[in-house]
């Protein structure tokens, strides 16, 4: 896997653009192996299952909005990361690959 990618504007994008794919791969691995000490695995095995993950998406969304309202960039980044993580778990629960999400974003980018 290359550490650089063309950004479509003739520039290069570093390997950090792959962070969503890498995180999604970890989530998928946890879903498959269900290690006992994994928070991610616990989301897939919890008795509330999907509801618990969707509640976390809502909770993290609200926390992100409140941080934005307070103009707290550090908190926005932290809550945004939590939101993206739980969103990826929800995608995985429904067998939607992160590439589908990224394809939609790429299409919208034009």
């Amino acid at each position: 896997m290359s550490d650089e990618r063309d950004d479509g504007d003739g520039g290069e994008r570093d390997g950090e653009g792959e962070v969503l794919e890498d995180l999604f791969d970890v989530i998928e691995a946890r879903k498959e192996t269900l290690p006992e000490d994994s928070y991610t695995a616990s989301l897939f095995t919890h008795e509330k299952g999907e509801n618990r993950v969707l509640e976390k998406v809502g909770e993290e969304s609200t926390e992100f909005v409140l941080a934005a309202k307070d103009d707290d960039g550090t908190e926005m980044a932290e809550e945004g990361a939590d939101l993206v993580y739980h969103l990826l778990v929800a995608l995985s629960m429904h067998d939607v690959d992160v590439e589908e999400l990224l394809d939609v974003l790429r299409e919208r980018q034009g």
Side-chain angles (χ1 to χ4, degrees):
M1 183 178 337
S2 172
D3 285 339
E4 296 184 347
R5 291 154 101 187
D6 189 320
D7 66 7
D9 293 325
E12 298 269 324
R13 182 179 300 164
D14 64 27
E16 298 208 14
E18 299 172 4
V19 70
L20 287 179
E21 293 100 328
D22 292 345
L23 178 55
F24 191 77
D25 288 345
V26 171
I27 291 167
E28 289 282 278
R30 298 291 194 275
K31 180 171 86 170
E32 176 133 346
T33 61
L34 299 173
E36 288 184 29
D37 61 343
S38 166
Y39 172 73
T40 302
S42 75
L43 293 172
F44 288 102
T45 59
H46 192 274
E47 65 186 39
K48 287 186 178 181
E50 178 186 27
N51 284 346
R52 182 171 185 216
V53 172
L54 297 178
E55 287 170 1
K56 290 298 289 181
V57 169
E59 173 188 324
E60 301 303 344
S61 296
T62 299
E63 291 173 357
F64 177 84
V65 169
L66 293 174
K69 187 164 178 14
D70 291 343
D71 198 25
D72 186 340
T74 300
E75 191 70 15
M76 286 177 65
E78 291 174 7
E79 298 303 340
D82 290 344
L83 174 59
V84 169
Y85 163 77
H86 287 95
L87 176 73
L88 293 176
V89 172
L91 289 173
S92 178
M93 280 187 152
H94 288 272
D95 298 319
V96 177
D97 194 278
V98 69
E99 279 301 320
E100 293 180 55
L101 172 89
L102 295 172
D103 287 345
V104 171
L105 291 173
R106 288 181 193 110
E107 287 174 20
R108 291 180 181 180
Q109 186 178 16

